[in-house]
Amino acid sequence: MLPHTQVSFRTSDESLQRLYDTACEKCLLNLQMFGPDQVLVEGGGYEKIWLETQPMGGEMYAKHNMTAAMNNQLLFMCTQRQDGRIAGSIQCMPDGTVEAQFNKFQGFCFPWPALNMYYLCGRDAEYLDQLAHSLEAFDRYLWNTRDSNGDGCLESWCVYDTGEDNAVRYGDAPVYCTADTPPEGYQIVPMASMDVMSFSYACRDTLAQISAIRGDGNEQAWRAKADAVARAMKDMLWDEARGACYDRDKNGNVVDVLTHNNLRCMYWGSFSQEMADRFVKEHLLNPDEFWTHLPLTSVAASDPAFRNAPENNWSGQCEGLTYQRAILALERYGYEPLVTKLGKKLMNAVSGGGYVFTQQFDPFTAIPSRVSPITKCPIPLDSDEPGQDAYGPTLLSVLEYIAHIWGVHMQMGEVWFSLGSGAPYAYEQVWGDHIYRIESDGSTARVFVDGAERYASPCGVRIITDENGAYLRTVSIED
């Protein structure tokens, strides 16, 4: 029996309230039935669940709907092939049948959110065993197939392996790849990939955490295997002089494009603290590269491969999905105040764009890119055609940033009470038998657990407790 969840957020900031209410309302449009199972699809014209978005998206939506959140994990595990490969996407066909699609990896935002669901659903041991089996099998599949030249670095074989649609850096690479043998005759692929190496790291890192939970004695072995992947990735793809990772083409040549994929590596945890610090300070916060008027371009704005293309294109514009991944990526390495800054910038962009939740934004104007929800092609300014809206990663990013700035978040058995400054507000999270609540006048906040006031603090910090409200630590979320 999954715990009941429910969220309430009320603020005197009228724009923020409208943003929150609109995001909640539009998320409901993305709840669909895949056969007998309710799931949360990506939305905005994308009617499947993709491995790069929907396990993560489902876990974030667990605050509102545990059934869909859990199914967004289970469907990928239940449809996993015997050789360990996990579907890149799953689609519900017109006749109601569900089809698992193995023609790309389509990213891998799965291990961490799937593990957090273990805590969120009440520590189900059978679920944990199923997750461990799934991750171990997929990691084995990666090393059985994706190190085709035996150099110890896993490869991307097609554009959709890393979900970078229309990315310039992929050159003439195929969009899909259905085979388990490397493609031939292309300029770039098979490409030694920081993403795919991080897939393996994330599997092994999560398996180490699962072993610690089980107490099965295998934690150190999995930790050593994860560390070996991180070392190999750094040795082969990290440029010490430039403070960033770069992929390598099939001939071992550097694909000399400075990409946001370094931030993805931080999401998976495959960077050391020193690597993360260098990328953030030298590149992410550089206004000529990633810290544009609206930050988080897909490719550094100063890079020759940058394209400010409004259609579905990972060569330049700011992506809602990157904002979604940035939360965990930055919090893993102690950049909580940066999460607060990014969240406010995204919220201002969505509010300023008419509360429309699109996939991409112009990094120089922060204007949402107006495209067709079906073709993802730009819509002329004088057209009455309705543009893309209710794109899930942008919707969930807004809700998650609100929870991480002014709300309650459940993470790996902890409860995070984020006491952001600003207008007065109240945020309440129902989680099974518990009710967690924050009441704030904008400068001072009070924390309640199951109706009893437990803590009071000036705003600008996050108070972290266990599930019963026992104090663990405090971190700053504002500079």
Side-chain angles (χ1 to χ4, degrees):
M1 183 72 175
L2 295 172
H4 169 69
T5 59
Q6 183 177 320
V7 183
S8 171
F9 177 60
R10 293 290 177 265
T11 174
S12 62
D13 183 329
E14 293 182 2
S15 177
L16 180 59
Q17 186 69 62
R18 180 181 173 186
L19 182 68
Y20 175 83
D21 292 342
T22 304
C24 288
E25 179 182 349
K26 291 182 178 180
C27 275
L28 297 176
L29 301 174
N30 295 335
L31 288 171
Q32 294 187 16
M33 298 302 296
F34 274 33
D37 301 311
Q38 185 185 54
V39 300
L40 186 73
V41 301
E42 187 168 328
Y46 299 99
E47 299 306 307
K48 306 177 188 180
I49 56 173
W50 272 267
L51 190 58
E52 72 171 342
T53 61
Q54 292 318 101
M56 173 177 57
E59 180 265 335
M60 289 181 175
Y61 201 58
K63 296 178 176 67
H64 304 263
N65 183 320
M66 278 291 293
T67 299
M70 181 56 76
N71 285 335
N72 276 34
Q73 322 303 320
L74 292 176
L75 277 179
F76 285 102
M77 289 190 273
C78 292
T79 58
Q80 188 171 12
R81 290 193 329 204
Q82 287 190 343
D83 64 358
R85 182 159 182 175
I86 299 175
S89 57
I90 301 174
Q91 180 176 8
C92 187
M93 308 305 287
D95 64 359
T97 59
V98 176
E99 177 185 87
Q101 298 166 339
F102 298 93
N103 52 2
K104 72 278 180 184
F105 285 156
Q106 197 69 35
F108 191 52
C109 292
F110 171 65
W112 191 96
L115 178 58
N116 198 37
M117 286 300 300
Y118 161 75
Y119 291 96
L120 301 184
C121 74
R123 293 176 168 83
D124 185 327
E126 290 186 7
Y127 170 81
L128 194 66
D129 290 344
Q130 185 178 7
L131 175 59
H133 174 77
S134 177
L135 295 177
E136 188 168 356
F138 185 63
D139 184 65
R140 185 167 54 249
Y141 172 85
L142 289 175
W143 288 102
N144 284 342
T145 61
R146 288 306 183 99
D147 183 17
S148 65
N149 61 3
D151 68 353
C153 194
L154 297 171
E155 301 154 349
S156 174
W157 289 355
C158 66
V159 177
Y160 286 2
D161 268 347
T162 58
E164 294 173 79
D165 302 17
N166 297 306
V168 170
R169 75 191 191 96
Y170 264 96
D172 65 347
V175 172
Y176 296 107
C177 183
T178 58
D180 294 314
T181 53
E184 298 179 356
Y186 297 95
Q187 296 174 357
I188 303 294
V189 296
M191 178 175 70
S193 169
M194 68 182 93
D195 287 66
V196 185
M197 285 293 279
S198 295
F199 296 174
S200 176
Y201 178 88
C203 285
R204 296 175 178 198
D205 174 63
T206 306
L207 285 163
Q209 296 180 62
I210 291 173
S211 291
I213 295 168
R214 289 167 160 175
D216 61 13
N218 294 321
E219 179 185 1
Q220 293 307 313
W222 280 117
R223 175 60 51 210
K225 291 179 180 180
D227 290 345
V229 173
R231 284 194 303 271
M233 187 181 81
K234 182 178 181 182
D235 289 344
M236 299 194 67
L237 304 180
W238 176 259
D239 188 317
E240 182 64 24
R242 294 194 282 181
C245 268
Y246 295 83
D247 292 340
R248 291 182 179 270
D249 68 18
K250 67 177 185 179
N251 297 314
N253 300 312
V254 172
V255 180
D256 196 8
V257 179
L258 180 58
T259 69
H260 83 288
N261 302 60
N262 286 267
L263 188 64
R264 296 186 184 191
C265 293
M266 292 171 59
Y267 171 88
W268 287 302
S270 57
F271 273 13
S272 67
Q273 185 68 49
E274 180 183 8
M275 293 164 69
D277 290 343
R278 288 203 61 191
F279 179 75
V280 169
K281 294 171 183 177
E282 297 176 25
H283 301 293
L284 188 65
L285 296 178
N286 185 336
D288 294 327
E289 295 181 352
F290 296 99
W291 203 259
T292 42
H293 174 64
L294 182 66
L296 300 191
T297 53
S298 297
V299 171
S302 57
D303 196 289
F306 175 85
R307 302 287 187 274
N308 191 18
E311 70 274 8
N312 175 25
N313 191 314
W314 282 79
S315 295
Q317 288 206 341
C318 307
E319 299 272 353
L321 177 52
T322 303
Y323 270 86
Q324 189 178 17
R325 282 189 281 232
I327 300 172
L328 176 60
L330 293 167
E331 287 177 343
R332 291 185 85 140
Y333 293 91
Y335 288 100
E336 288 86 355
L338 199 52
V339 172
T340 299
K341 291 177 182 177
L342 283 171
K344 291 181 178 179
K345 286 179 178 291
L346 176 65
M347 287 184 268
N348 287 337
V350 176
S351 299
Y355 303 90
V356 175
F357 295 80
T358 60
Q359 177 179 346
Q360 294 183 187
F361 298 79
D362 188 303
F364 307 116
T365 66
I367 295 174
S369 292
R370 191 164 184 263
V371 299
S372 165
I374 298 173
T375 67
K376 306 302 180 298
C377 293
I379 297 174
L381 293 176
D382 58 355
S383 172
D384 294 330
E385 180 183 352
Q388 182 191 43
D389 196 1
Y391 178 63
T394 304
L395 288 169
L396 293 164
S397 291
V398 164
L399 294 178
E400 195 74 354
Y401 279 107
I402 289 173
H404 284 242
I405 300 172
W406 300 287
V408 179
H409 174 67
M410 313 280 288
Q411 181 147 303
M412 301 298 181
E414 299 177 345
V415 185
W416 293 7
F417 297 92
S418 296
L419 315 179
S421 61
Y425 73 92
Y427 189 108
E428 183 173 280
Q429 175 74 64
V430 176
W431 205 282
D433 296 331
H434 289 298
I435 301 176
Y436 306 110
R437 184 174 176 85
I438 300 170
E439 295 181 3
S440 173
D441 63 9
S443 58
T444 302
R446 296 182 296 157
V447 171
F448 298 82
V449 177
D450 299 332
E453 183 175 342
R454 299 291 294 272
Y455 309 100
S457 171
C459 291
V461 300
R462 174 177 296 149
I463 295 175
I464 300 173
T465 75
D466 69 10
E467 293 173 358
N468 295 313
Y471 177 82
L472 296 176
R473 63 191 181 278
T474 300
V475 299
S476 175
I477 61 170
E478 297 177 4
D479 291 330

